[in-house]
Amino acid sequence: MGQEDLLLDRAVREVVTAARAADPDTDVRDLTSDQLQPGTLAELTSPSLFAERKVVVVRGAQDLSADTIKDVKAYFGAPAEEITLVLLHAGGAKGKGLLDAARKAGAREVACPKMTKPADRLAFVRGEFRTLGRSATPEACQALVDAIGSDLRELASAVAQLVADVEGTIDDAVVGRYYTGRAEASSFTVADRAVEGRAAEALEALRWSLSTGVAPVLITSALAQGVRAIGKLSSARGGRPADLARELGMPPWKIDRVRQQMKGWTPDGVAVALRAVAEADAGVKGGGDDPEYALEKAVVAIARAARSRRG
């Protein structure tokens, strides 16, 4: 259940692999919701003279017609031993009755939620390394997410490539060597250089990012996250990274990074930087004639604010 295509495909592949391990001749039928018409399931699951093992995969189960849902629910009452039925459901209210009936029948449920938060993608990358039996530093996992972006298939492929090519613990330097063009183009690289007060490097990273197709709105989002992290940590009480991480909702390694970045900041500097980010956000969302200029202006303002304590 869910909308993350990679996880859905993996769940199906796991079922098919297990079925073919038991019977290499297992027949797999992969159907969309419109292909499963009333009566089709009965035909696919009818007893075979040769007791043929089948896996019947139904995608978009939330879109099945009312009559077909009746067929599926009826099948739940008397499932065939040699048939494995896999329903892919997007979740939500549509088709919830089918989900409830499947659960009541004792179906195994696999959650495949869409990973919209950076923290979820970071956890996914860490899990990929663990699954493949390899160690990667927190900085390496973050660098990979920053470089690759939100596509789970690309993230999984990148992890697999690093594991295949690199011996020992994988660190951020390794990620940088493999994905240097993409890492340099990362919106988070722009933000890191800006909040560190390194205006020239931030502008260089910004221009590179824009030239390689990074959306301006992603850059303003990264700038906002970077400045907010400075503000959060500067107003927090002192403590161990682990304690602050729980309080502020950041991983401990990020606490250490932000502590290094916040050395030149003042409360007034944070306020100036937040205003600059807000103006840039409006500029890239249609409030200005030149989104690139709006971003350049914000980067310079943030870098200056980062040096406010040093004059």
Side-chain angles (χ1 to χ4, degrees), residues 282-293:
V284 303
K285 291 179 178 176
D289 296 328
D290 189 342
E292 294 187 15
Y293 174 70

Side-chain angles (χ1 to χ4, degrees), residues 129 132 134 156-168 170 178:
F129 279 118
L132 295 174
R134 294 295 298 279
S157 177
V159 170
Q161 180 183 21
L162 289 168
V163 167
D165 293 356
V166 179
E167 295 182 358
I170 295 164
Y178 269 72

Side-chain angles (χ1 to χ4, degrees), residues 31-55:
L31 308 171
T32 59
S33 57
D34 59 335
Q35 290 175 315
L36 195 69
Q37 297 297 317
T40 304
L41 184 62
E43 180 182 338
L44 289 172
T45 59
S46 59
S48 167
L49 179 63
F50 303 102
E52 180 183 36
R53 181 179 292 273
K54 287 182 184 176
V55 174

